[in-house]
């Protein structure tokens, strides 16, 4: 197989990507080249040279495509890793062209809300100025109106379909594989559930493009701030409605309270005593009816986003943090959907979080100071380091590597790129114990299988639906803790069978756009005896390393988990490839 020269192409200029900026990319190119690991460090690695190549392609990428192993071997695994850590140096025309085919990904949030209204019925009525008539009318809509509304709803569904499809397609074709892996990591770390509301998919387009993707290898505080200001996160965890309790001072009085105060101030002076009492009662009732303090985001900010569940904070810290974040809201959620600090919701009193005092009356500055405090906390350094080591090395993170990665986090003020560099150039990363030690998530299974067969990107929603059927719907994890990062969350008898069936369906041409005859080794393997076909498939898909039991299954086609009818459905090379894609060796990385 020939080398893929695109892997080796280093561009001397900024290559744009959705949500990124040319200036940022140019600044990265000005940085000095990082030194390569010394010969002594390389020689001390426990994995063989070939294993190191495959290991890097499975951990820092979504698996190799035909020609990738040879290309990385020719470049040198350490040079390839260094290049992947600087994604703006890598030309990515296929991914750039792919993204341009998704119209919704380029639209601003207000444009999305306007062109693809999450509630098209209300939007149309509002534009016609007859919302009140619609609400008061007991008559059913006409047949013509019902058909139009159905068409509008189908049009609105395109937003979610393109969002999910693009996640899979970009991961399949992009040359900036580590960038895609880190995007997957951070979108799971800062999880948002698409089903929260009708408008959430619209918010998620901007969330992925503007908050997550530009910052996946940047500064953690910058990433944390982008998430904290994102309407997607503020809406998902209800902070946009969080406001000071009625007993707390606010930066300014709410408009309803201001209006009541003005009305009663205009009453006759001779009734001033009665007016004051009546006014205070109404104002108190107005304040009680307003939504009060909501701790959801503050709690997850500490427990899941920064400090970790054992990060040393208390329930009092959560409450105080929630008070600080009152007023972090959304302006016109179904029209503009942009961040807005609302002083009428903000608790203007003093607070104390993690022993740090926040001066009263500072408004939005308090929230920024809170993010500074959390981003630079030692517990955050340890928590983020642990999760990254768990992602790249082992479900049970080596303590010494976590400590070194946390030290890098602290020393560099949260430079994610350097933390990842510390991890993926370490002896633990290339240890024998790390080889095939991680179980792939459904997203990784589908993307790696498509890459292995050199499949084209599917710009429909069908491939994303396969990921969902395997148990990991894109943006469909309801709880804020995200999908499991460890293998025990994915492996059971039903999941294994589903993965085997997926492999067979893929090799049999029942997945959109995939034809086994287009797979690079197909021409040389198709006419060989079965034993040689098995050898070729093991080399091409499994790195030449397979258990004797699995080799026996590939030779016979007799899998203990498949019914006889299912075994007979696919024969020949397609059967071998399908079973190989469902094998334990392919399901691990």
């Amino acid at each position: 197989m020939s080398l893929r020269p695109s892997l080796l192409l280093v561009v001397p200029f900024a290559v744009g990507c959705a949500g990124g900026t040319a200036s940022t990319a140019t600044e990265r190119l000005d940085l000095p080249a990082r030194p390569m690991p010394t010969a002594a460090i390389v020689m001390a690695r426990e994995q063989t040279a070939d294993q190191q190549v495959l290991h890097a392609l499975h951990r820092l990428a979504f698996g190799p495509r035909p020609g990738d192993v040879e290309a990385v071997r020719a470049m040198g695994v350490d040079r390839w890793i260094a290049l992947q850590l600087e994604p703006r140096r890598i030309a990515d025309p296929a991914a750039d062209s792919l993204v341009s085919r998704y119209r919704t990904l380029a639209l601003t949030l207000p444009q999305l809300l306007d062109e693809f209204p999450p509630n098209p019925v209300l939007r149309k009525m509002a534009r016609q100025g007859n919302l009140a008539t619609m609400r008061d009318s007991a008559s059913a809509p006409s047949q013509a109106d019902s058909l139009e509304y159905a068409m509008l709803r189908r049009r609105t569904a395109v937003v979610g379909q393109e969002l999910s499809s693009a996640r899979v397609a970009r991961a399949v074709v992009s040359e900036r594989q580590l960038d895609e892996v880190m995007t997957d990591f951070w979108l799971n770390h800062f999880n948002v559930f698409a089903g929260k509301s009708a408008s959430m998919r619209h918010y998620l387009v901007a969330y992925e493009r503007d908050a997550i993707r530009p910052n996946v290898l940047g500064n953690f505080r910058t990433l944390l701030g982008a998430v904290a200001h994102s309407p997607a996160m503020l809406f998902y965890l209800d902070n946009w409605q969080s406001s000071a309790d009625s007993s707390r001072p606010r930066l300014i009085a709410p408009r309803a309270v201001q209006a009541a105060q003005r009305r009663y101030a205009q009453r006759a002076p001779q009734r001033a005593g009665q007016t004051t009492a009546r006014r205070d009662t109404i104002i108190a009732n107005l304040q009680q009816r307003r939504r009060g303090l909501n701790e959801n985001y503050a709690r997850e900010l500490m427990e899941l986003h920064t400090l970790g569940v054992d990060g040393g904070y208390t329930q009092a810290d959560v409450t105080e943090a929630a008070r600080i974040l009152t007023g972090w809201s959304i302006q016109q959620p179904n029209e503009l959907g942009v961040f807005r600090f609302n002083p009428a919701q903000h608790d203007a009193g003093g607070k104390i979080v993690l022993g740090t005092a926040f001066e009263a009356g500072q408004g939005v500055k308090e929230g920024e100071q809170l993010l500074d405090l959390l981003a630079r906390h030692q517990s955050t350094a340890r928590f983020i380091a642990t999760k990254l080591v768990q992602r790249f090395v082992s479900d049970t993170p080596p303590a010494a590597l976590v400590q070194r990665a946390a030290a890098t986090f602290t020393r560099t003020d949260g430079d994610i790129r350097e933390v990842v560099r510390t991890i993926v150039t370490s002896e633990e990363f290339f240890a024998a114990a790390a080889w095939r030690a991680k179980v792939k998530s459904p997203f990784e299974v589908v993307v790696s299988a498509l890459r292995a067969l050199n499949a084209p990107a599917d710009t429909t929603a069908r491939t994303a639906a396969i990921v969902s059927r395997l148990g990991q719907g894109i943006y469909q994890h309801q709880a804020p803790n995200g999908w499991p990062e460890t293998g025990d969350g994915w492996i059971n008898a039903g999941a294994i069978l589903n993965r085997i069936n997926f492999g067979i369906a893929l090799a049999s041409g029942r997945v959109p756009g995939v034809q086994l005859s287009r797979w690079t080794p197909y021409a040389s393997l198709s006419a060989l005896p079965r034993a040689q076909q098995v050898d070729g498939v093991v080399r091409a898909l499994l790195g030449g390393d397979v258990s004797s039991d699995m080799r026996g299954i590939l030779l016979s086609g007799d899998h203990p988990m498949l019914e006889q009818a299912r075994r007979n459905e696919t024969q020949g090379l397609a059967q071998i490839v399908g079973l190989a894609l469902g094998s334990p060796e392919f399901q691990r990385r």
Side-chain angles (χ1 to χ4, degrees), residues 184-198:
D184 182 61
F185 174 83
W186 288 120
L187 283 170
N188 199 48
H189 180 83
F190 295 109
N191 180 62
V192 172
F193 174 49
K196 173 75 173 185
S197 73

Side-chain angles (χ1 to χ4, degrees), residues 454-538:
N454 206 26
D458 174 25
T459 55
T460 74
R462 293 174 295 180
T463 303
I466 294 173
V467 179
S468 182
R469 287 199 295 272
L470 289 179
Q472 190 184 15
I474 298 172
Y475 290 116
Q476 292 301 316
H477 195 279
Q478 189 167 358
N481 61 340
W483 295 105
E485 284 286 3
T486 56
D488 55 5
W490 295 119
I491 292 302
N492 55 61
I496 293 171
L497 181 58
N498 288 338
R499 291 175 180 220
I500 295 169
N501 285 331
F502 162 69
I504 291 174
L506 186 67
S508 304
R510 298 198 298 272
V511 172
V514 181
Q515 295 183 26
L516 190 61
S517 59
R518 295 178 181 173
W519 181 43
T520 307
Y522 180 85
S524 61
L525 294 178
S526 57
L528 295 177
R530 187 173 182 104
Q532 294 181 39
Q533 288 180 337
V534 169
D535 291 339
V537 169
V538 169

Side-chain angles (χ1 to χ4, degrees), residues 387-403:
K387 288 198 68 173
L388 286 169
V389 173
Q390 188 175 64
R391 175 66 178 239
F392 287 112
V393 179
S394 172
D395 286 359
T396 306
L401 180 56
V402 170
Q403 186 175 358

Side-chain angles (χ1 to χ4, degrees), residues 2 6 48 107 126 128 146 178 247 314 337 346 358 369 410 412 418 423 430 434 442 458-459 463 472 513 547 553:
S2 61
S6 55
T48 68
L107 299 180
Q128 293 174 344
S146 296
L178 180 56
S247 61
T314 66
H346 182 65
F358 290 76
Q369 292 165 4
T410 301
T412 63
E418 295 311 311
I423 295 168
F430 288 111
D458 174 25
T459 55
T463 303
Q472 190 184 15
S547 70
I553 290 172

Side-chain angles (χ1 to χ4, degrees), residues 18-90:
T21 61
S23 61
T24 301
T26 303
E27 290 167 6
R28 295 303 314 174
L29 292 178
D30 291 340
L31 290 177
R34 298 289 177 178
M36 293 293 101
T38 65
I41 291 175
V42 173
M43 288 296 292
R45 291 171 179 169
E46 295 178 348
Q47 295 177 13
T48 68
D50 286 343
Q51 284 178 333
Q52 290 176 42
V53 170
L54 282 169
H55 187 66
L57 282 166
H58 280 292
R59 296 293 174 91
L60 310 188
F62 289 108
R65 286 178 290 185
D68 279 357
V69 170
E70 293 85 349
V72 174
R73 186 183 292 127
M75 174 187 285
V77 68
D78 292 295
R79 284 188 60 207
W80 181 80
I81 291 173
L83 182 58
Q84 285 293 320
L85 283 164
E86 300 284 351
R88 299 302 175 264
R89 294 178 181 266
I90 305 172

Side-chain angles (χ1 to χ4, degrees), residues 165-176:
S165 171
R167 275 283 303 281
V168 179
R170 188 183 283 185
V172 170
V173 306
S174 179
E175 299 292 345
R176 300 170 179 173

Side-chain angles (χ1 to χ4, degrees), residues 318-362:
V318 172
T319 301
E320 294 289 273
R323 290 179 58 210
I324 288 173
L325 292 168
T326 50
W328 285 52
S329 189
I330 305 171
Q331 184 176 359
Q332 294 179 268
N334 288 316
E335 298 286 340
L336 293 177
V338 296
F339 173 82
R340 175 200 179 198
F341 177 73
N342 185 351
Q345 291 178 236
H346 182 65
D347 184 330
K351 301 99 175 172
I352 298 177
V353 177
L354 299 172
T356 299
F358 290 76
E359 186 179 347
Q362 296 301 300

